[in-house]
């Protein structure tokens, strides 16, 4: 486990800044006080996340892989049904017949660095 991050200097700086921004007598009701507390919470959140970046990255990658695997399995199950496959092909054909949809897809493919769909793919 990573060593805790010392934010005492950040907290002290925020405490010194708060009276300069406060308009409510340090009651915590004005934008200055609320802003300082928001910055304090963000600093704590950043420090907590950054102190364990490998765990967070591994968890995110694992979640993405799990989601991709589930999506692929669902797609395979759906496409194994001839009726659903036929419906999906018909929907794709209708979408590609619409000039505006086709133009949007071609633009998206260009932005993603891929090849725009051609008539041969339909």
């Amino acid at each position: 486990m990573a060593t805790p991050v010392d934010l005492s200097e950040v907290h002290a700086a925020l405490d010194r800044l708060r009276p300069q921004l406060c308009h409510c007598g340090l009651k915590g009701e004005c934008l200055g006080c609320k802003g300082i507390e928001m910055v304090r919470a963000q600093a704590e959140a950043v420090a907590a996340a950054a102190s364990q970046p490998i765990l967070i990255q591994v968890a995110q990658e694992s979640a993405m892989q799990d989601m991709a695997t589930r999506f692929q399995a669902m797609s395979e199950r759906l496409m194994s049904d001839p009726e659903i496959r036929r419906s999906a092909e018909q929907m794709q054909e209708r979408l590609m017949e619409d000039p505006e949809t086709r133009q949007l897809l071609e633009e998206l493919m260009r932005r993603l660095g891929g090849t725009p769909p051609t008539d041969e793919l339909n």
Side-chain angles (χ1 to χ4, degrees):
M1 185 166 166
T3 45
V5 178
D6 180 13
L7 295 177
S8 60
E9 291 183 36
V10 173
H11 289 300
L14 291 172
D15 290 340
R16 285 189 304 273
L17 183 59
R18 187 174 176 173
Q20 297 174 42
L21 300 175
C22 178
H23 297 285
C24 69
L26 300 176
K27 294 177 186 172
E29 299 169 352
C30 70
L31 184 59
C33 290
K34 290 178 181 178
I36 291 294
E37 290 310 310
M38 182 180 72
V39 170
R40 186 184 313 270
Q42 287 176 339
E44 290 171 0
V46 167
S51 67
Q52 298 180 17
I54 293 172
L55 292 177
I56 292 171
Q57 183 179 358
V58 168
Q60 288 173 339
E61 287 177 12
S62 177
M64 289 298 292
Q65 288 174 349
D66 181 53
M67 185 174 65
T69 301
R70 288 180 180 194
F71 184 75
Q72 184 174 357
M74 179 187 67
S75 297
E76 289 171 359
R77 278 195 311 272
L78 289 173
M79 288 301 138
S80 67
D81 182 330
E83 194 173 314
I84 292 176
R85 180 186 277 289
R86 215 174 5 263
S87 295
E89 289 169 354
Q90 289 173 351
M91 184 177 75
Q92 180 183 5
E93 287 173 12
R94 285 189 205 131
L95 282 173
M96 295 309 288
E97 288 172 359
D98 179 35
E100 186 177 341
T101 301
R102 186 174 188 83
Q103 182 181 8
L104 289 171
L105 285 173
E106 288 172 356
E107 177 65 24
L108 177 64
M109 292 302 290
R110 273 193 292 278
R111 288 184 184 193
L112 294 175
T115 311
T118 61
D119 290 331
E120 296 86 41
L121 296 176
N122 292 329

